[in-house]
Amino acid sequence: MNGHIKNMHLPPSIQPATTLLSILLVMTVDSTRTVPLCRNQQCGVSLQQSLKLTRLIHKETVDLIRIYKASQGESSELFCKTSFNNVPDANIAGLDPSERIASIYTHLQAFFPHYKRVFEQQTDLQLAGSTLLTELVKVSNRSSTLANKINCLYQSLFPNLPLPEPAGGPTPLPPSQNVFQQKVYGCVVLKRYKEFLSNVVREMRTLKGKVCKKRTQMNELF
């Protein structure tokens, strides 16, 4: 089991979901090179929508980790307590709001290839129609929407500042793994993503009082 979809003959019932997620994640990873169509929204409204969506994804990721553990067979708790290198960190970096919003966006982009790898590996390990695969697709769809919302928010607040590339480049995907390593890797990615989403929720609460207040004051001047 090498964890790559292109080398597997998948049952018809799982092919649409696999194709959907593959296309979605490729589009999301490439979205750093594109400019989404962003509607002009009030800063507070845009941040509140992003915060609401982040909370929802966080809740679904908590449920997803529970489903993941239940689907891995015996010793699933052991899988989820083992450490693993080369997984994006959960910390939001930067000193000012523009850097921290950009960090949220670039971190989301960094997680998507790893999330896609987990889906590919679990497609090989799970039965067709697995609840785990369905939930992975659902969280991925919402995460893609969140990335676009953060991109739009950044463009709206800082139109003259292009989104920077991730510091140090993207976190490399792991090499070929055995089944045990795949199960460990999947749990580490999901847990790290959950931790990141928790940090995003806290960050958005803080940002609302900073960037939106400043934006309102600037609009009043003009």
Side-chain angles (χ1 to χ4, degrees):
M1 298 182 185
N2 57 20
H4 294 286
I5 289 180
K6 63 182 181 180
N7 293 330
M8 297 185 298
H9 297 287
L10 302 178
S13 59
I14 201 63
Q15 285 177 351
T18 304
T19 303
L20 172 63
L21 186 67
S22 298
I23 294 173
L24 167 68
L25 289 174
V26 168
M27 291 173 61
T28 305
V29 171
D30 288 344
S31 64
T32 53
R33 303 284 181 255
T34 62
V35 179
L37 296 175
C38 303
R39 296 178 179 178
N40 283 328
Q41 288 186 324
Q42 293 182 353
C43 177
V45 173
S46 182
L47 258 175
Q48 187 61 33
Q49 289 180 347
S50 298
L51 174 58
K52 183 178 180 180
L53 181 57
T54 305
R55 284 173 171 160
L56 175 60
I57 300 171
H58 179 267
K59 179 181 180 299
E60 290 178 341
T61 303
V62 171
D63 295 336
L64 179 58
I65 292 172
R66 175 181 53 78
I67 295 170
Y68 182 91
K69 290 180 179 179
S71 67
Q72 302 307 304
E74 297 180 0
S75 304
S76 60
E77 287 297 331
L78 173 62
F79 301 146
C80 292
K81 290 180 180 178
T82 306
S83 61
F84 200 99
N85 295 325
N86 295 332
V87 174
D89 69 78
N91 298 319
I92 298 169
L95 298 177
D96 59 57
S98 66
E99 292 175 338
R100 296 188 74 78
I101 295 175
S103 179
I104 292 173
Y105 181 76
T106 54
H107 268 71
L108 278 168
Q109 296 295 328
F111 271 105
F112 288 134
H114 293 269
Y115 196 99
K116 180 173 182 256
R117 174 63 64 83
V118 172
F119 182 86
E120 291 173 346
Q121 293 174 339
Q122 291 301 313
T123 298
D124 197 14
L125 296 173
Q126 304 299 321
L127 296 175
S130 162
T131 300
L132 174 61
L133 299 179
T134 301
E135 293 302 307
L136 282 167
V137 171
K138 182 170 71 174
V139 169
S140 176
N141 288 339
R142 296 201 200 279
S143 298
S144 178
T145 300
L146 177 62
N148 285 331
K149 284 184 176 293
I150 298 299
N151 194 341
C152 285
L153 177 66
Y154 184 90
Q155 290 177 42
S156 175
L157 293 171
F158 314 105
N160 298 320
L161 293 177
L163 276 164
E165 295 291 335
T171 307
L173 291 170
S176 181
Q177 300 167 302
N178 60 37
V179 172
F180 177 81
Q181 291 170 328
Q182 289 179 23
K183 292 183 176 183
V184 170
Y185 171 70
C187 200
V188 171
V189 169
L190 295 180
K191 287 177 64 179
R192 189 73 57 81
Y193 190 50
K194 177 178 73 71
E195 182 183 350
F196 166 68
L197 292 171
S198 296
N199 292 338
V200 173
V201 169
R202 287 193 292 269
E203 189 65 29
M204 286 182 178
R205 289 172 180 162
T206 302
L207 285 169
K208 187 175 181 180
K210 291 181 178 180
V211 298
C212 295
K213 183 178 180 180
K214 182 177 179 180
R215 183 69 177 270
T216 300
Q217 291 173 341
M218 290 179 64
N219 289 339
E220 290 175 351
L221 290 175
F222 296 97

